[in-house]
Amino acid sequence: MSSRLLADYPSLATYTEDQLKDLLTQDDYLDAFLYSLPQVQGVLERQQELSRANDELAKRNLALQNELIALRAATASAYSTAQHLQDRWKEIEQKQAGLYSKYRPSFLHLRLRHATSDQDTLTESLAANFIESTASVNGTRGPSRTDSPAAGMAVSQGGGSQGALGRGREDFVGAGMGDAQPVSLEDFIRTFKAARKVYHKRAIWCERWSRGEVAWRED
């Protein structure tokens, strides 16, 4: 018998020639011999260990089944909530952008320019009203600026951009400038100077803004 075969399977050294022939011809006898080998027994033991470990793992998974199902449902609910909040956030961002657009530097500059023009029209209307009221007291009537489109604009726009950026026409009517009632020269001068002061302030800022001398902080 080959020495290499005996080195690999030393138990064959005790087998007779008839037994060796039986190993070659009888499958059951060969299986019994193979299962008696230490190498095969080690493989079988390892297989049994893996099978037992697999059974234990299956039992643990079954024990966690209800918890895992509840966790999956909670995860799905949280994901749905997150999707809803994401959609809601997009809506809020759009609304916020619309609100911020009213306070963009370019929009505020435009409002300041309109308010400056309105304030200029207002002061002209104040002067025209004073001249008209003075002429009425003296029994004469001169050309009235209140009948012009510019004066009408001052009346109709007095509460618009002026109300947001400074004093408007309604701040000066109390002195008698808006109803063509007789007023003293001192009252007219005081009211006209106050209105014209607002106009010049706006005009100065508008000019500086146009030259790029006005900077807006982002915070």
Side-chain angles (χ1 to χ4, degrees):
M1 184 178 295
S2 173
S3 58
R4 181 177 178 180
L5 182 62
L6 291 177
D8 293 337
Y9 304 101
S11 60
L12 292 177
T14 61
Y15 280 44
T16 63
E17 183 178 353
D18 292 336
Q19 289 175 328
L20 293 175
K21 290 180 179 179
D22 291 338
L23 286 175
L24 296 176
T25 58
Q26 299 181 19
D27 294 337
D28 294 340
Y29 193 41
L30 179 61
D31 291 341
F33 170 75
L34 292 176
Y35 284 122
S36 66
L37 295 176
Q39 299 90 330
V40 176
Q41 290 179 356
V43 171
L44 293 177
E45 290 179 0
R46 180 57 180 166
Q47 182 181 10
Q48 291 177 356
E49 291 176 359
L50 292 175
S51 178
R52 288 192 295 268
N54 189 42
D55 290 340
E56 292 296 330
L57 181 60
K59 291 178 181 179
R60 287 199 299 269
N61 289 339
L62 290 175
L64 295 173
Q65 182 178 9
N66 294 334
E67 182 178 352
L68 291 175
I69 291 175
L71 180 60
R72 183 176 62 182
T75 302
S77 177
Y79 179 78
S80 177
T81 302
Q83 287 292 110
H84 174 72
L85 293 177
Q86 185 178 12
D87 296 339
R88 177 59 179 162
W89 175 253
K90 292 180 180 179
E91 295 178 1
I92 293 175
E93 278 189 328
Q94 292 178 355
K95 293 181 180 179
Q96 186 181 47
L99 293 175
Y100 281 172
S101 64
K102 298 180 180 179
Y103 301 97
R104 291 198 308 266
S106 59
F107 185 77
L108 293 177
H109 188 197
L110 179 63
R111 291 182 60 190
L112 178 59
R113 290 167 56 188
H114 288 174
T116 303
S117 177
D118 292 345
Q119 191 69 15
D120 185 35
T121 303
L122 171 63
T123 56
E124 292 182 0
S125 177
L126 291 175
N129 287 339
F130 177 74
I131 294 173
E132 181 180 1
S133 63
T134 303
S136 298
V137 171
N138 295 332
T140 61
R141 179 177 177 86
S144 174
R145 294 291 298 275
T146 57
D147 298 331
S148 65
M153 183 184 302
V155 174
S156 61
Q157 296 181 353
S161 57
Q162 296 167 352
L165 297 176
R167 300 174 65 188
R169 184 178 191 277
E170 62 277 4
D171 297 314
F172 304 103
V173 172
M177 295 297 102
D179 51 6
Q181 295 296 324
V183 294
S184 65
L185 179 60
E186 291 78 8
D187 290 339
F188 165 73
I189 293 175
R190 182 175 60 256
T191 304
F192 184 82
K193 286 178 63 176
R196 202 63 185 172
K197 182 179 180 180
V198 173
Y199 163 75
H200 284 297
K201 285 184 177 180
R202 293 178 182 176
I204 291 173
W205 278 108
C206 190
E207 183 179 357
R208 292 183 60 186
W209 204 332
S210 299
R211 293 199 303 263
E213 298 177 2
V214 176
W216 287 86
R217 295 174 55 181
E218 295 296 334
D219 56 353

